[in-house]
């Protein structure tokens, strides 16, 4: 059990047998494989959602973990299959931008563009194109490379196959257009990336960005605006901060479990109440005098 | 694989990455941890639902299993985090009453009150408050102690950490108000606790309580009343008992897979058909002459 | 970890604790059991759906895997519980036809009838009736043999228990009526078996049957008819084949991840758009001159 775990993250859901087939393929190659499900609830074909979940999650797993990340609207086309090796983990995935935000952890402005395009691989990382069919399952379908390409490659990696046998090194990796919300004075304009199952609206404004404008949880002078509503204060928890005079069932803005600005409703569902989801603008304003000199 | 398994039971659902992050944290601490999912489908913040599922399930797992039970509406407030050790298993959970019915297995009337309150720990059990941050994952969020406190503590327990290093012994544990339905003559008045995915309505009337009023499966003279409907007979299975003249697609009352009185519709959904769910009153009446002298 | 894995396939869903209880029972008997979920999303009591998923999936798992297959509308009645041993895997299941299509892999026309009935076990296989209660969990409920009979039997098998101690050899196994769609000239008339979570409509027309009428992916002269719509061409992928003049968001017919004719809508949901599901007729017509002489 000292072999690295294989961690699955897909948009397949769990109601079909697709994830089960992947597990079967992995265990057929490596009987002792240690397979862990990160999630199968990425929004269908929502590559940006997948990119956020991967970057927010991978450090919770053992170093060296092998992630099989499959959000693959281009399956069956000529988009490449790749292996990304970072100092912390390995990722087997389609080359469609799904790993953009993982790469950003090793190069601060990676993917900070308005257009999807190939970009040089971050210096700390390496990429291989998975071109060697000897490590795939045959016959290879046109619709399910998660089962026929990514899973068998991950299983072989977990058995110690070196990346060089799986394919050729690649100098670039495809980025998704994921512009970093820019602070302007003491404010940041971002947007919702996805709603979780509780209806909490998770945004592209990270805790680090909030630091940049001097906003901290508990600060009652901060305001957050979304879908025509303005929320006073950045809460510490889903509950009123001590001494707060906020009404008990109102909207809350807080740094949530993803380490991101999140909009929630106590005992309620912010996504359905606000009729808001991915792409909806969110702005946060700190006090004018918050910023460090 | 002789270490005790870690069993997860939460209200997080499986569509987000939250449960995956917990798994990652556990395996980061104990690479060889054996993690089993009991369920992640407890009703959101429904502590009573969680209490029933835990007590009905834990004896199906290996002795010594470490349950991580997270239904935690008070996360981020000053509610305590606890470890409950029973003669059969260990439970890491928020101290909010979630373990009330587990405790009742060791002390018959535990939590048989109309008000949530601290109560002395059952004699056969022990409780510790998890106050030692050395065994948590840092930084500790305000929104996700399942990942940052409960999971790492369970992982350390699975590696053999003694309870005393995790925190301080506590003389009390918080109970939920879960009054035991009282037999009156040959009848019991209880209520629905939750509906399962098939729409079966699971109640707080256990098979033991039915014994008390002399009601047994197959008895055609028993009547069950719910939401204005009266069901004749306590069925043995979802199907008509042999010789029954019950119409084939009617309501059924039976002792279900939870060992509780359950209302079901053959090939149908009792919850939606009756528009009934948690809290709806259910009564069962045995024959007047059923009771033992 | 050289013991064969136990693979679970049920219609229980994952929102309740039922699957968790099965896992607990298995691990209580075999602490080191290696349990893999194939799926718990079979349509409730949809034995045909289960039969298709099992036959399409089992070869992706390690040889010798022990499948626990539970779609069991007759639980608590006198339907038998059986063990089917094939040259490739073992299956513990109710004897209700759920294994019909697995058997068909060893005898081409197995279950090719219009009526459910007992049939001789395929020559390459063996069947036992699970009649020995020593290998069950007690008390045995009337509603949940998945937990009380099938799971413990599978756990004992994984520990090496020989089939003969579990019950008696049986000469027959119950088949479901699953007539094989018959090619007529260059056409096949079949039907939808189930819709997956993406709304793709999976049919009973296998890739092998398409071979029989000389239809191959990419052939633009093929037509598929479903629910009043006619689809021109059998696509290779969810995307337009190169050079295609099909509108980009129309219906697609293709061989999907199950190795079956499938109807899909690119970036859409065919099941809801066509208001189609299990039982809806589908026909595919190849060119008149496609057939081999």
């Amino acid at each position: 059990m000292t072999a690295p775990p294989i961690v699955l993250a897909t948009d397949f859901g769990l109601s079909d047998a697709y994830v089960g087939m992947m597990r079967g393929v992995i265990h057929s190659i490596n009987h002792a494989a240690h397979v862990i499900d990160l999630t199968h609830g990425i929004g269908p074909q929502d590559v940006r959602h997948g990119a956020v979940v991967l970057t927010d999650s991978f450090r919770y797993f053992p170093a060296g973990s092998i992630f099989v990340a499959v959000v693959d609207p281009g399956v069956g086309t000529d988009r490449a299959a790749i292996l990304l090796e970072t100092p912390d983990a390995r990722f087997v995935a389609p080359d469609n931008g799904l790993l953009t935000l993982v790469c950003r952890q090793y190069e601060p402005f990676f993917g900070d563009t308005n257009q999807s395009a190939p970009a040089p691989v971050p210096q700390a990382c390496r990429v291989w194109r998975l071109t060697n069919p000897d490590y795939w399952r045959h016959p290879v379908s046109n619709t399910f490379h998660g089962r026929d390409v990514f899973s068998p490659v991950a299983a072989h990696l977990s058995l110690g196959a070196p990346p060089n046998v799986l394919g050729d090194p690649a100098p670039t990796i495809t980025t998704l257009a994921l512009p970093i919300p820019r602070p302007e004075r003491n404010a940041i304009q971002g947007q919702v990336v996805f709603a979780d199952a509780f209806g909490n609206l998770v945004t592209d404004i990270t805790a680090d960005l909030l630091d940049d404008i001097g906003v901290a949880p508990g600060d009652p002078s901060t305001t957050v605006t979304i879908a025509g509503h303005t929320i006073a204060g950045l809460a510490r928890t889903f509950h009123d901060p001590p001494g707060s005079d906020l009404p008990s069932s109102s909207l809350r803005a807080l740094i949530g479990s993803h380490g991101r600005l999140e909009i929630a409703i106590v005992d309620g569902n912010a996504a359905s109440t606000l009729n808001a989801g991915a792409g909806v603008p969110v702005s946060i304003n700190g006090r004018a005098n918050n910023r460090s000199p």
Side-chain angles (χ1 to χ4, degrees), chain A residues 53-290:
Chain A
V53 166
L54 285 169
T55 196
D56 291 352
S57 302
F58 80 91
R59 290 186 189 282
Y60 293 106
F61 286 81
S65 290
I66 299 163
F67 289 78
V68 179
V70 191
V71 183
D72 193 11
V75 62
T77 67
D78 59 2
R79 67 98 190 87
I82 56 170
L83 164 67
L84 167 70
E85 193 175 84
T86 80
D88 302 297
R90 285 172 283 177
F91 298 84
V92 181
D95 185 27
N96 62 8
L98 186 57
L99 304 178
T100 303
L101 296 182
V102 169
C103 288
R104 189 176 288 172
Q105 300 227 1
Y106 303 96
E107 194 176 293
F109 298 98
F110 194 87
D112 180 23
T113 67
N114 287 303
Q115 207 178 326
S116 180
V121 174
Q123 282 212 338
C125 305
R126 286 196 293 175
V127 169
W128 288 262
R129 291 190 172 225
L130 303 169
T131 52
N132 187 348
D134 293 351
Y135 293 86
W136 306 348
R137 190 186 192 282
H138 296 274
V140 175
S141 69
N142 287 316
T143 57
F144 195 3
H145 289 187
R147 177 190 64 198
D148 302 330
V149 176
F150 303 120
S151 288
V153 164
H156 287 292
L157 278 170
S158 75
L159 287 171
N164 281 330
V165 305
L166 303 171
D168 303 313
T172 61
I173 181 170
T174 298
T175 63
L176 213 59
L178 289 170
I180 300 172
R182 285 283 175 289
E184 291 193 18
R185 305 200 184 198
N186 54 332
I188 303 177
Q189 171 82 39
Q191 56 178 263
V192 173
V193 180
F194 66 93
D196 73 9
F198 298 92
N200 300 325
L201 297 161
V202 180
T203 73
D204 61 357
I205 301 175
T206 60
D208 284 351
L209 289 173
L210 295 181
D211 274 353
D212 288 352
I213 59 164
V215 162
D219 184 341
S221 71
T222 301
T223 57
V224 173
T225 305
I226 179 170
H229 296 260
T230 297
I231 304 163
L234 187 67
R236 281 197 176 84
T237 76
F238 290 114
H239 302 271
D240 288 348
S244 164
D245 57 355
L246 295 169
S248 68
S249 60
S250 68
L251 283 166
R252 288 289 176 282
L254 75 170
I255 298 176
S257 304
H258 275 268
R260 295 170 178 273
L261 178 65
E262 207 172 290
I263 316 300
I265 291 180
V266 181
D267 299 332
N269 186 304
S272 61
T273 301
L274 300 181
N275 193 26
V280 166
V282 177
S283 65
I284 181 164
N285 289 263
R287 286 175 301 186
N289 59 349
N290 269 348

